[in-house]
Amino acid sequence: MRKKIFAAVAAAFIATVGIAAPANAISATTADLYVLHAVPNTPVDVWVNGAVLLPNFQPGTLTDPLDLAPGDYEVVITAVGDPITSPVIGPATLPLAAGTSYTVVAHLAEDGSPTASLFTNDLSTIPAGEGKLTVRHTAAAPAVDILANGAAAFTNLSNPDEVKANLPVGTISAAVAATGTTAPVIGPADVQIQEGVNTIVYAWGSLQDDNLALAVQTIGGLHSNPGGVNSGQAGLAADPNPATLGLGIAALLALLVAGSVVAVRARTAQARR
Amino acid sequence: MNVRAVTAVGIALLLLLSGCSSTSAEQPAPTPTSAAPRSNSSTIGTQSAALRPVRETVPPVRVQVPSVGIDVSVQPVGVQPDGLMELPENVAIAGWYRYGPAPASTAGTTVIAAHVDSLEYGLGPFSRLKGLPAGTAIVVTTADGTVHNYTIESVTNVLKTQLPLDEVFDREGPRRITLITCGGQFDYDRLTYSDNIVVTAIPVQP
């Protein structure tokens, strides 16, 4: 019976999910939803609208974007094999709007209890030569500072908040420290800022259990192109100019017309004589 | 998801699509005949969210078109303050758009451009790109010494104002190289050409 319900609901779900689109493409009429599991040591089943969508979903795992019709989705997370009536997290309602990218994260709250947070991913176009770094605090830990190359880049970030900035492309040595300190509790680790990519870094795990870690999600295709290529300035490689050529022909025609007018006048004058 | 479950889903979908509500009410979607073990995977793709090692791009350093004697060095370039692609002043040095793909990238177009001429340096090697036939060989060497061989697919004149930027600076399509310079008519008042000469080449399969 369980299987039957699963199949029927899965069919309905697949009908709305469709085919996974390239990471950068988002439809104006549907929402993208990524699911990230950031509760340590606990494989789970993720239920959406009453059916198991992600069975035996492992910690530290991220899904491809699900292309969903806009609307409210009810998410319940259970231990693997448990009925929906015994949730670990939820039920939580995810209101998804069209043309928007989301990540729903199963994670620990600051006090260590399991929870879920819905984040909206920034898909705005990034200037040429830059990438976006988004940092989300989803760990059982107090407020933190994000250190880039040893200096505080973002300060006082609390669970479940996020900070973001566009940065020049390159590699930064990123670390997480208790706010106001510079002694890393995570990292330092090399994080690549890729051009036109929103790199979303999650601090997850538990400070008390000594299993804090980073999870990374990237959304590409947000780059801008150069406005053009202006590659010459002397005219040495120019084609013959038809405008000039046209002018020549016009001048020639004008001469011919003038010539015939003169001829006609001459003839007229002759006739009058 | 196992094959049986996929079949069940497929049939359920067909029933939904057929729109025969009364029929589907009378004939519920078939169920697996045996109690299959709970599925451990699903139709939804997943991946590890672990931090990946940094991958440095290997820039191209030299472009050759042996049939017309083009052999220029290549420097990485970005964009100018006005938004146009940056180019080395010297007509004998080409610029590689460093924010886009490189020859070793798994997808997209490597863009290398050079001035066709300049008031200071005169006529440049890229002036010989115009009119090259399809099939002409292009050789690109990257900083690690790897030689990448390409063959020209097309050489086109495009009005600069109509250069298809998304196509030229494509990051996700097939692996290609595009050489760009200027051509067409010259505006002696604005010291600028009307067209871009766009050479598109595809990798030669070894």
Side-chain angles (χ1 to χ4, degrees), chain B residues 128-181:
Chain B
R128 301 197 283 277
L129 292 175
K130 188 169 69 176
L132 284 178
T136 303
I138 297 179
V139 182
V140 178
T141 309
T142 44
D144 58 358
T146 306
V147 173
H148 300 262
N149 290 293
Y150 298 86
T151 182
I152 292 182
E153 208 173 40
S154 67
V155 179
T156 53
N157 266 52
V158 188
L159 273 178
K160 274 188 195 168
T161 50
Q162 289 171 12
L163 187 66
L165 297 166
D166 286 341
E167 219 173 280
V168 169
F169 292 95
D170 174 49
R171 303 202 182 181
E172 287 170 354
R175 292 173 58 227
R176 287 184 299 197
I177 186 163
T178 292
L179 304 182
I180 305 177
T181 192

Side-chain angles (χ1 to χ4, degrees), chain A residues 138-157:
Chain A
T138 56
V144 296
D145 289 354
I146 311 301
L147 312 177
N149 302 328
F154 304 110
T155 56
N156 202 23
L157 178 65

Side-chain angles (χ1 to χ4, degrees), chain A residues 194-272:
Chain A
Q194 298 168 273
E195 214 257 350
V197 174
N198 184 358
T199 299
I200 306 169
V201 178
Y202 299 83
W204 66 289
S206 162
L207 178 63
Q208 193 180 324
D209 297 343
D210 197 24
N211 58 7
L212 291 175
L214 297 180
V216 178
Q217 171 184 13
T218 54
I219 302 178
L222 310 177
H223 59 274
S224 23
N225 291 320
V229 185
N230 212 351
S231 45
Q233 52 176 212
L236 300 174
D239 292 337
N241 190 331
T244 318
L245 201 65
L247 201 66
I249 291 167
L252 197 65
L253 280 174
L255 275 176
L256 285 173
V257 169
S260 47
V261 167
V262 170
V264 169
R265 276 189 185 154
R267 243 178 280 139
T268 313
Q270 261 179 351
R272 276 184 193 154

Side-chain angles (χ1 to χ4, degrees), chain A residues 44-140:
Chain A
V44 295
D45 288 345
V46 178
W47 303 65
V48 176
N49 290 353
V52 175
L53 180 68
L54 297 166
N56 195 21
F57 193 41
Q58 298 294 317
T61 305
L62 174 73
T63 66
D64 294 339
L66 313 176
D67 187 19
L68 301 174
D72 288 351
Y73 290 82
E74 190 186 69
V75 172
V76 173
I77 294 167
T78 62
V80 174
D82 274 5
I84 193 170
T85 47
S86 305
V88 180
I89 300 172
T93 301
L94 311 182
L96 305 186
T100 312
S101 171
Y102 301 92
T103 303
V104 62
V105 187
H107 66 101
L108 299 176
E110 182 176 341
D111 66 5
S113 59
T115 185
S117 296
L118 182 66
F119 293 95
T120 301
N121 303 317
D122 190 343
L123 298 186
S124 57
T125 301
I126 300 168
E130 296 183 355
K132 190 182 299 295
L133 176 65
T134 305
V135 183
R136 293 173 175 164
H137 187 333
T138 56

Side-chain angles (χ1 to χ4, degrees), chain B residues 13-196:
Chain B
L13 255 180
L14 282 176
L15 289 172
L16 283 175
L17 290 173
S18 69
C20 302
S21 54
S22 60
T23 310
S24 50
E26 288 156 20
Q27 300 175 351
T31 55
T33 48
S34 67
R38 192 186 177 87
S39 168
N40 279 334
S41 63
S42 70
T43 52
I44 294 157
T46 60
Q47 54 186 290
S48 164
L51 186 63
R52 302 223 170 105
V54 172
R55 286 209 309 196
E56 297 294 347
T57 307
V58 183
V61 293
R62 183 182 186 189
V63 173
Q64 296 161 277
V65 186
S67 67
V68 289
I70 294 177
D71 185 353
V72 297
S73 62
V74 180
Q75 290 175 352
V77 296
V79 290
Q80 302 172 167
D82 64 3
L84 297 176
M85 182 175 167
E86 198 178 27
L87 290 177
E89 284 299 313
N90 188 337
V91 294
I93 300 174
W96 161 62
Y97 187 63
R98 64 192 167 102
Y99 301 140
S105 297
T106 53
T109 304
T110 301
V111 180
I112 295 175
H115 283 302
V116 70
D117 62 16
S118 91
L119 296 170
E120 187 182 351
Y121 293 94
L123 193 62
F126 268 35
S127 63
R128 301 197 283 277
L129 292 175
K130 188 169 69 176
L132 284 178
T136 303
I138 297 179
V139 182
V140 178
T141 309
T142 44
D144 58 358
T146 306
V147 173
H148 300 262
N149 290 293
Y150 298 86
T151 182
I152 292 182
E153 208 173 40
S154 67
V155 179
T156 53
N157 266 52
V158 188
L159 273 178
K160 274 188 195 168
T161 50
Q162 289 171 12
L163 187 66
L165 297 166
D166 286 341
E167 219 173 280
V168 169
F169 292 95
D170 174 49
R171 303 202 182 181
E172 287 170 354
R175 292 173 58 227
R176 287 184 299 197
I177 186 163
T178 292
L179 304 182
I180 305 177
T181 192
C182 274
Q185 308 305 317
F186 190 72
D187 181 334
Y188 287 90
D189 294 328
R190 294 170 54 229
L191 296 181
T192 180
Y193 285 88
S194 60
D195 295 358
N196 282 126

